[in-house]
Amino acid sequence: MTSQHPNSPAPSLTEVEPYGVERIPDAERTATPFDLFRVAFGGANTFSTCVLGAFPILFGLSFWQGLAATVLGVLAGALILCPMAMFGPANGTNNAVSSSAHLGVHGRVVGSFLSLLTAVAFFSISVWSSGDALVGGAHRLFGLPRGTLSYVVAYALFAGLVLAVCVYGFRFMLFVNKIAVTSATVLFLLGAVAFAGDFDPSYGGSFTASADAATQAMFWPSFIGAALIVLSNPVSFGAFLGDWSRYIPADAPRRRVVGAAFLSQLATLLPFVFGLATASIIATKAPKYVDPAAPDFVGGLLAISPSWFFLPVCLLALIGGMSTGTTALYGTGLDFSSVFPRLSRVRATMLVGVVSIAFIFVGRFALDLVQSISTFATMIITCTTPWMVVMILGFFTRRGWYDPDALQVFNRRQRGGRYWFTHGWNWRGMTAWWVSAALGILCTDIPGQFVGPLGDLAGGVDISLPLSLAVAAVLYLSLLWLFPEPRAAYGPEGARWVRTREVPVPPITEAPALAGV
């Protein structure tokens, strides 16, 4: 349970959260690692994760091949993600603000940009999948027409509910996730009972022994592509973990905080495997719904569901979608308020929410972006993962020491401090990020959707992620060694693994445009 500071009354769920990205006061940091587990798991224990879990089948893999790709993606993603949980307790702020220490006072906007893209993408997936399930379930239960108006109303109501929770803030979101973790888990287990009779683990997919040579040659590209789609889910939390872990006290054991983040992603094997298993049933009993040209997992799930499971599907869509939507949108509104300080957290959340809702309607009814989920997700992790590598390596070279006041220079529209570096930019971290991200995009190979200029470098296998990971790590550490950072950026114990140089720290002053205000 969440502990409460003895001198602080328990805040009401309906009390709007007053904090933006400034450091959370110690008396208010009453969350526990278990709370982090519930929020992170609740945000992924949803219907939209099931949709991502269906992609191995859409890529032509058998059930067992798809399971291997899913486990690989979840494990790799969890290992990459879990160190990102350490920044919140250390600094009492979100991860984009913490990145000032490694990318510079101005360079921290990279994290804000990546979190915005990630949030819009996964908020959209959440609203689309949950809205489709609600309309489809209502159609089967009550005969509700499946027309454009029904979808518009479902998307608008659902998005509005998510936005309301995000405006109230962290504690309301934590309350929603407490309910979502338990109820969604029960509904998934109920689904296992509903589909047990139809499930056949011997589903063979497209890459059988009788497949022609051209099809066989697509196995590894499809396997790696499916694993990357799965991996995108845990990696998508990288920019947001600090939003929730900042409420954990600074003296909380790091191993428990990191362990909570890791276990929260291992637990997502439940919705992933549910999506994988039901997709294999759909491919057998209603194959038109898994046509790669026009996949419709939600429609297929409803087509194969027993009638008594229609209502649980609707509940799963509502509860799980609320959880995913709130975890994505809350962090983006929070961070947007730091990029534009004139906007409070509430106003920034409202603005980003309205823009996201507009994007959802345009994407669903005009641009047909639903079919490009795999491309969007892969591009996001290709750009986000190198940023996470810079952050994690920076944490270890700094021995986990940060100057909380200097981290807030950008938010206060000031200049100077330990993390000013070169006119507010740390070109070492920035260079390692953009070079590795650009190289990853160039080497991306998603068959039939996006192939970069160097996509065929490994014979059709997508090597964008491992390549960008390796390049980011080697390049960042090399730049830190060849071009040492100021000694003042490191703590009392000094640097680990890298050299430093003695230079004076520029004083923190008001920016010229704001002087005298």
Side-chain angles (χ1 to χ4, degrees), residues 136-164:
H139 172 73
R140 297 292 297 269
L141 283 170
F142 311 113
L144 178 74
R146 297 180 64 177
T148 299
L149 179 61
S150 297
Y151 287 106
V152 167
V153 172
Y155 295 154
L157 288 175
F158 190 78
L161 286 173
V162 171
L163 184 56

Side-chain angles (χ1 to χ4, degrees), residues 68-88:
T70 299
V71 172
L72 174 62
V74 168
L75 280 176
L79 288 171
I80 295 170
L81 171 72
C82 63
M84 296 297 293
M86 297 186 291
F87 292 94

Side-chain angles (χ1 to χ4, degrees), residues 46-105:
T46 64
F47 205 76
S48 56
T49 304
C50 296
V51 174
L52 295 178
F55 270 84
I57 301 299
L58 297 179
F59 281 15
L61 301 181
S62 69
F63 171 78
W64 291 112
Q65 292 165 348
L67 182 62
T70 299
V71 172
L72 174 62
V74 168
L75 280 176
L79 288 171
I80 295 170
L81 171 72
C82 63
M84 296 297 293
M86 297 186 291
F87 292 94
N91 300 322
T93 187
N94 73 347
N95 284 352
V97 173
S98 294
S99 72
S100 301
H102 309 297
L103 299 177
V105 169

Side-chain angles (χ1 to χ4, degrees), residues 184-198:
T185 299
V186 170
L187 290 170
F188 279 127
L189 294 176
L190 188 62
V193 175
F195 298 110
D198 294 323

Side-chain angles (χ1 to χ4, degrees), residues 175-269:
F175 172 73
V176 170
N177 277 274
K178 285 180 180 179
I179 297 174
V181 166
T182 302
S183 55
T185 299
V186 170
L187 290 170
F188 279 127
L189 294 176
L190 188 62
V193 175
F195 298 110
D198 294 323
F199 174 61
D200 181 4
S202 65
Y203 170 74
S206 302
F207 306 105
T208 60
S210 60
D212 57 48
T215 300
Q216 293 284 8
M218 289 299 296
F219 171 74
W220 283 111
S222 299
F223 182 89
I224 298 299
L228 288 176
I229 296 301
V230 173
L231 185 147
S232 71
N233 203 56
V235 168
S236 71
F237 287 96
F240 302 130
L241 275 189
D243 301 339
W244 317 317
S245 64
R246 68 196 180 119
Y247 277 94
I248 298 175
D251 59 359
R254 286 178 181 172
R255 66 181 183 279
R256 292 187 60 198
V257 176
V258 171
F262 182 77
L263 292 175
S264 71
Q265 298 310 304
L266 287 191
T268 64
L269 284 171

